Amino acid sequence: MVEAQIPSPPAPQKNSAVLSYLGFLRRATGVATDGEWYFYVWMIVLSGIALVGANAWAQQVRDGMIVTNMSDHVSWGLYIANFTFCVGLAAGGVMMVIPAYLYDDEEMHQVVIIGEAVAIAAILMSTLSVVVDLGRPDRFWHLIPGIGKFNWPLSMLTWDIIVLNGYLLINLHIVGYLLYMRYLGRKPNPKWYIPFVFLSIFWAISIHTITAFLYCGLGGRPFWNTALLAPRFLASAFVSGPAFIILSMRVMRLLTDFHFSPKPANTLIRIIRVSMCVNLLMLFSEVFTLFYTGGSHASSAQYLFFGSHGANGLVPWMWASIVLNIVGAILFFTPAALRRENTRIVACLFCIVGIWIEKGMGLIIPGFIPSTLHEVVEYSPSLIEWKVTAGIWAFGLLILTLILKLIASVFSYDLSRKISMKQNVVPEETPATTSMPVETT
Amino acid sequence: MSDSNASLPIIDNPGVNRRRFLKTAGATLGLAAWAAAMKPLLDLTPEVNADEFLQKHYRELTPEQKAVVFKRLEEEAKAEYDVDVTISDPPPMENVLFGYALNLSVCIGCRKCAEACHIENNHDRASNNSYICVFEMEKGGIDFEKGNATYDHPVPAPGKYYMPVQCQQCENAPCVTACPIEATWKEKDGIVVVDYNWCIGCRYCEAACPYHARRFNWEKPEIPAEEVNPDQSYLSNRIRPQGVMEKCTFCLHRTREGRLPACLEACPTGARVFGNLLDPDSEIRWVIENKRTFVLKEELGTKPRFFYYFDE
Ligand code: SF4
Ligand code: SF4
């Protein structure tokens, strides 16, 4: 389903491009669904969780959104929180490409395709998070431009729909094209993917900015109504995205034949260091403005950090997030983080969870508490909401596993030939540009 | 079908047949599990039918199509609530712009308006829903932070005054801008309405409204047959489906026919004034011209058409 939308590049040999591409898809499916026992266990567990989520969602559609703990006071909850984080993840994965091209860092190019894979999975997750949040998913077609009624350009949500789908297509194209060329043993023609890579960088920034505009454009919600929201979104995306890529690379290095040079991960860690500082600095400056000035802007922050009117449901969340973020940042600054040890893994996990809370529960929920008329009605997700969200994550990881597995197989097949000749030499150049029978169109 | 010079390594794997078999079996099992997981969808209420699904946006329906839709909705009400209702569709009147004003010196916080709204607009009985929230406020300021909408004691309480809040029918309505599919819009007479058969239930408008004026149908509204108000209109008080947004419409099914909103008729103190802002002789114009009226959250630029005032 994922690969089906990739446009096929021009025919390389005698058989038609379509046939060849179909063959590629067939084998890709075979490879992506083949593996050791632990691969099957992993996939079965993920499928199980996804099924539990699907079942919970079906119940929600049948019985109404009453099965969630949302209310007219807190009308968005865990789903939109998760949506916000996933958009950041999607953007962060691809923005890593910026240093690769800006500084012409050849080795970073290797990371590009992983980032795009993460982006694809994350976009699917964010789209699903919006779909499960709809009261009437059966009317989804009203959102399709042309046949529905698209309130563009006024509604920020329509912008978001456009940029998210566009982003998905761009990344599917890039990943699909690079893999296909690799599979054919041909050098990818820069004309076919470099412009798209640049487009996707620009696009990555736009998806996260527009998602921030979704909230900060609402004048009635002082907690969101700050110009700092979009920059803060970007800064945290620059942390969660690379952190996720580092985790993916570690898993691939341990479980597949795909070999990485250690350098790109270190570049990523340097990026994380800077962005995490910027993120914490902006958080601090926002907290300062809120509490020093006080007023209606501060009441949400008061509730978020310290509780108000005897209600303090978010306080443990927020402090957990701050501790995780700070400890994660400190770990990233230790020299051990630059070695291939577990420090960086722990640091990545801390920052990912910390940002998930900060950009999710810690950002969406306090926008509604206190309500626009200063009523304090609390919210904590219901079991159904947790199940559906877990299901979405399981589905996202499933897709990510398949894509990464495909990447590993396509790339390591060439690599393994090369390595057997060179006796375990870790390739120094990026796979996309090495070991190719040079044959450009 | 070996069609390429670079093949992937699984092709000559001897275990490939057993694997393929296992995979097929797994895929079949998976499909069955999916079907089981999605089973609750089969019990969906009958109102999700093909006609409902394909129905166009209200503003794109021809008069003939509207007649068909209204008839279907009446039949659905009969089938689901066992009541005979009529669904009308009064158009906005020419040269009319509705406005509402409320005298805070007079309001005693009895919540009769909220109750009338509950009944008039066919709200879900269990949740005791209403488009009006009455806030008990502390004298000496207009500070909602010190307000309380859930008071439960005899009124009026000493040192307090009461402030009913409902949709302000903003001229610059942020809810209308927010909606991604134009399921909510402002009519010519200034009333912001929702097409309950077009709304997808994303609740973006609810997040956008600064006055907590919107209500979502978290579940299917339940009303005993004898309590249903059968005098309904498409854009206002007909029984809403599950999963869509709703809001105050200044009772347009009444006011567009020259009657007064239910909340005004129910108010025992005469605190409420309703009328046509374009008519220089109307009572509402007199209030605006002679009283020092104010609107809520003026700084947001929403330009409400709901005015508050105190007697001097
Ligand atoms: S009060 Fe709220 S619902 Fe009513 S028009 Fe204004 S923004 Fe829309
Ligand atoms: S809930 Fe309905 S009316 Fe409100 S923004 Fe969403 S689609 Fe529009």
Side-chain angles (χ1 to χ4, degrees), chain B residues 166-176 184 190 192 205 208-214 247-248 302 304:
Chain B
Q166 64 207 72
C167 174
Q168 314 279 304
Q169 314 293 356
C170 312
E171 190 183 326
N172 262 331
C175 56
V176 171
T184 186
V192 174
C205 54
C209 170
Y211 305 100
H212 184 54
R214 295 194 157 238
K247 63 180 287 300
C248 164
T302 50

Side-chain angles (χ1 to χ4, degrees), chain B residues 178-181 183-184 194 199-205 214 245:
Chain B
C179 179
I181 52 164
T184 186
V194 181
C199 167
I200 52 170
C202 67
R203 305 187 300 293
Y204 193 26
C205 54
R214 295 194 157 238
M245 195 55 73

Side-chain angles (χ1 to χ4, degrees), chain A residues 100-101 104-113 193-194 430 432:
Chain A
Y101 287 90
D104 218 14
D105 182 346
E106 274 294 314
E107 290 192 325
M108 278 295 283
H109 289 216
Q110 197 182 36
V111 176
V112 170
I113 196 162
Y193 78 100
I194 298 287
T430 121

Side-chain angles (χ1 to χ4, degrees), chain A residues 123 127 140 160-170 203 207:
Chain A
I123 285 289
T127 310
F140 193 78
D160 222 29
I161 292 163
I162 294 175
V163 290
L164 287 178
N165 284 306
Y167 192 62
L168 181 62
L169 292 180
I170 296 172
W203 213 284
I207 62 167

